[in-house]
Amino acid sequence: MKNELTESLEKYLLAIYEITNINKAARVKDVSNYLKIGGPATSDAVKTLAERKFINYVPYGIITMTAKGKKKAKEKTERHRVISNFLEKVLMVKKEAVNSNAKQIEYSMPEDVLEKFVRFLTFMENCSCKEPKWVKSYKHFSENKKMQAKCEKCMQNRENFNNSACCSRCS
């Protein structure tokens, strides 16, 4: 699809977004230095982003973001933040591994599944209810490699009642 952003183009768009948030505009050299990527590759990516109306650019001139580009960059930045937060706060992934793992998730899932995943995580993050009990139980399980006693009892109750609804302690 012509307007689709590949992982590579997205990387350039986000770099331009970050640079222009600080400097209001960027040059190909700024983007190249920021990403530590050669000038010709950066120039090609910038031209493609301009053709797709994510940025304003004329050769050898400055780069600014279009409204479409800003919107897309904000969406991608927020998506990354939500996934990173989930990895760090719920799954307790080590802080130094969060960013790379979040990127792997973002670029390995089909877009429709990723959208639903992020929507769920955003809901969980913003829901006015207290943290679900299962999140606390999972954290205990993850840290201790075993279920809490109350969860063990609940599991036994479910087995005794043909896997019907769990007891009120875990729900």
Side-chain angles (χ1 to χ4, degrees):
M1 191 184 299
K2 187 165 170 61
N3 283 334
E4 184 179 38
L5 280 176
T6 62
E7 179 179 352
S8 176
L9 285 176
E10 188 174 303
K11 176 176 53 178
Y12 286 100
L13 180 68
L14 292 173
I16 293 166
Y17 179 69
E18 290 184 28
I19 294 166
T20 58
N21 276 342
I22 296 166
N23 300 332
K24 305 296 181 215
R27 294 197 177 275
V28 170
K29 183 179 179 180
D30 300 327
V31 179
S32 181
N33 289 339
Y34 184 89
L35 293 173
K36 297 177 178 62
I37 294 176
T42 302
S43 184
D44 289 345
V46 166
K47 287 175 189 171
T48 302
L49 289 169
E51 288 169 6
R52 296 183 186 180
K53 309 288 188 230
F54 289 104
I55 60 171
N56 299 306
Y57 171 72
V58 290
Y60 307 103
I62 61 169
I63 304 166
T64 59
M65 300 288 295
T66 63
K68 175 183 174 181
K70 283 181 185 178
K71 181 179 182 220
K72 183 61 83 174
K74 285 178 184 178
E75 288 170 3
K76 301 294 184 178
T77 301
E78 179 61 10
R79 176 184 77 184
H80 187 78
R81 187 202 62 76
V82 167
I83 293 170
S84 295
N85 186 52
F86 172 73
L87 292 174
E88 185 177 348
K89 302 279 191 295
V90 178
L91 297 185
M92 298 178 289
V93 172
K94 292 178 183 171
K95 203 170 191 89
E96 59 273 7
V98 166
N99 188 46
S100 63
N101 283 288
K103 284 181 182 177
Q104 285 181 324
I105 289 170
E106 290 175 84
Y107 299 115
S108 64
M109 278 188 193
E111 191 64 34
D112 60 329
V113 175
L114 179 62
E115 185 179 316
K116 289 176 182 184
F117 179 63
V118 172
R119 194 176 311 137
F120 172 76
L121 296 179
T122 301
F123 169 78
M124 292 299 294
E125 204 175 64
N126 294 305
C127 182
S128 62
C129 301
K130 294 189 308 184
E131 181 177 66
K133 291 178 184 176
W134 62 265
V135 172
K136 290 179 183 173
S137 295
Y138 170 74
K139 286 179 180 177
H140 178 274
F141 176 77
S142 182
E143 290 169 351
N144 300 290
K145 310 289 188 262
K146 65 179 187 172
M147 301 290 267
Q148 292 178 336
K150 69 178 182 174
C151 294
E152 290 285 349
K153 287 180 188 174
C154 183
M155 289 171 59
Q156 286 175 337
N157 287 342
R158 285 186 70 179
E159 288 172 11
N160 293 338
F161 293 104
N162 298 322
N163 286 327
S164 62
C166 195
C167 66
S168 61
R169 289 182 294 226
C170 295
S171 58

